[in-house]
Every structure is written in C-alpha cells, then in structure tokens.
Amino acid sequence: ILCATLVGIVLPEDKFGNRDSRNKDVNGVVDFSTAIKLTSSKSLEPTSLSSQSTVLSDASAVLSTSNRVRFLFLAVFFRFCAGLTIGIWSAPFFRLAFPDDASSYAIINAMIIGVCGVASGMIGGWVSDRLAEKSASSTTMLWDESTGRLLIPIFGAFLAIPIWHMTMNASTFEGAMFWLAMKYLVAECWFGPAVAVLQSDVPSKYGGAAQGMFIFT
C-alpha cells in the first residue's frame, strides 16, 4: 500500500486542463467574433455526446487523470481490505487470547473506535490541510499540495505497523487494548486526505464517479 502510494506521488503527473490559446490575439484580448461563432456552434451541437457517457467511460476517465489517482485507488483498496480484515478477525483473536475479558472487549473496542477513530480522522484531516497550505504557499517544498496531504496517511500507515505488532503480542488484555487504541489513533487519519486529493485532482465533472469508485474499492 505504502509503495503504491509513494510511487503514485513521485511519478510524473499527466497534463490536463491546458487551454487552447488560439482564440486570443497577439495582445491577449479575446476575439469576440470567434467567441460568438464558437458559442453558436456549441449551442447547435447535438446533445448525444453527453448521452454517450457511461459508467465505464467515466471510470476510465477518472483513472486516466494521473498516476497519483491510479495508485491512490490501489492503496485505498488494500486499506479497506486491511480494515475489514481487522474488524472481522480481531474479535475471535481477542476472545481466544483473553477468554476472561471477552465480554469487556466489545464495549472497549466500541469506545476505542468511537473516540480514537474519530479523533484520528479529524486531527489527520486538519494536519493534512495545514501541510497542503504550506506546500502550496512555499517555493522550497519538494512536493505539491496533494502530496502534502498524503504525507499524513503515509506516516500513519508506517507508524501503525509496529503498533499493531504490539497489539497482537501484548501479554495482558489492558496492554492489548492500549495498543489497539494507539493503532486507531494513528491509522485512521487516511480517509479525509484521500477524499480531499480525489476532489482536487479529478476533474469536477467526474467527481461523482470518483467518489463512487472510492466507496466501491
């Protein structure tokens, strides 16, 4: 997941949104006659082009936006898989590892998710916004605004690896719950930055398709 995200960040981005400057004269003033002709021709064009848009074509357009978007979707897919795996198998594991505390696990786990998970999402989103602002305003940064946002989930994912190891190898139930709380605190900061990068990198006309693909992954 981390390698895919990092590769998506460092690979050169595709160029989009280049505007055709042929409708400007040498002084940069818009040629209004040309603009009127273009407007008239667009108004007379059939609307069949929009009807040709399909789910698959929009999904392909989203994935064609940039290398970062493609690898971000791959990373999100594996991140959702990891989260679902932990959610499904953590309860049987803790029930077998600490049978005397099986009844307490459900309550404590719900509190950890509700407090640490929410706090991680909010703090991670806030910090990623600050990094994005700093990246956009600074001329010395080695990365752009979207990359600045993704530094938070990358750091959180790296930090969650040893913490999850400590959770699985804790000798006491209290220790396991402490490390589980720490894991949620550092690992759940990825959601907000990932959505923000999709919203900023994907063209607005494909925003709904991008969000649908994000949830589907």
Side-chain angles (χ1 to χ4, degrees):
I1 301 171
L2 299 171
C3 292
T5 307
L6 289 171
V7 171
I9 291 172
V10 301
L11 283 178
E13 297 298 329
D14 299 328
K15 303 299 182 182
F16 286 87
N18 294 328
R19 297 181 178 179
D20 191 353
S21 59
R22 290 175 297 176
N23 294 329
K24 297 183 179 180
D25 61 14
V26 293
N27 296 319
V29 181
V30 176
D31 186 347
F32 289 100
S33 61
T34 305
I36 293 173
K37 292 179 181 179
L38 290 174
T39 305
S40 302
S41 62
K42 288 182 179 180
S43 63
L44 296 176
E45 289 178 353
T47 58
S48 59
L49 292 177
S50 60
S51 63
Q52 293 176 0
S53 176
T54 63
V55 174
L56 293 179
S57 65
D58 285 5
S60 178
V62 170
L63 294 177
S64 300
T65 302
S66 65
N67 290 316
R68 175 162 48 209
V69 170
R70 286 190 288 271
F71 282 99
L72 180 60
F73 273 115
L74 180 63
V76 167
F77 169 76
F78 284 109
R79 180 58 182 82
F80 273 128
C81 289
L84 291 173
T85 301
I86 292 174
I88 293 172
W89 294 107
S90 60
F93 170 79
F94 286 114
R95 185 167 57 248
L96 293 175
F98 308 102
D100 296 336
D101 299 290
S103 59
S104 302
Y105 168 76
I107 299 175
I108 297 176
N109 183 59
M111 293 177 61
I112 289 174
I113 295 174
V115 176
C116 296
V118 172
S120 177
M122 294 180 63
I123 296 173
W126 181 83
V127 175
S128 70
D129 287 341
R130 303 290 78 77
L131 283 176
E133 291 178 1
K134 188 174 182 180
S135 301
S137 60
S138 176
T139 58
T140 60
M141 289 291 185
L142 300 178
W143 50 77
D144 59 5
E145 182 177 350
S146 294
T147 303
R149 293 185 186 277
L150 291 177
L151 292 178
I152 295 302
I154 290 174
F155 176 76
F158 270 116
L159 192 58
I161 295 173
I163 293 178
W164 183 245
H165 174 78
M166 297 296 294
T167 303
M168 293 290 97
N169 292 276
S171 58
T172 64
F173 177 75
E174 291 77 11
M177 293 300 98
F178 170 79
W179 289 114
L180 182 64
M182 293 299 101
K183 194 277 297 182
Y184 273 97
L185 193 60
V186 301
E188 297 303 317
C189 60
W190 68 274
F191 197 91
V195 174
V197 169
L198 284 180
Q199 292 176 342
S200 62
D201 285 22
V202 176
S204 58
K205 62 180 179 180
Y206 300 120
Q211 296 300 319
M213 293 169 62
F214 177 84
I215 299 299
F216 176 75
T217 54

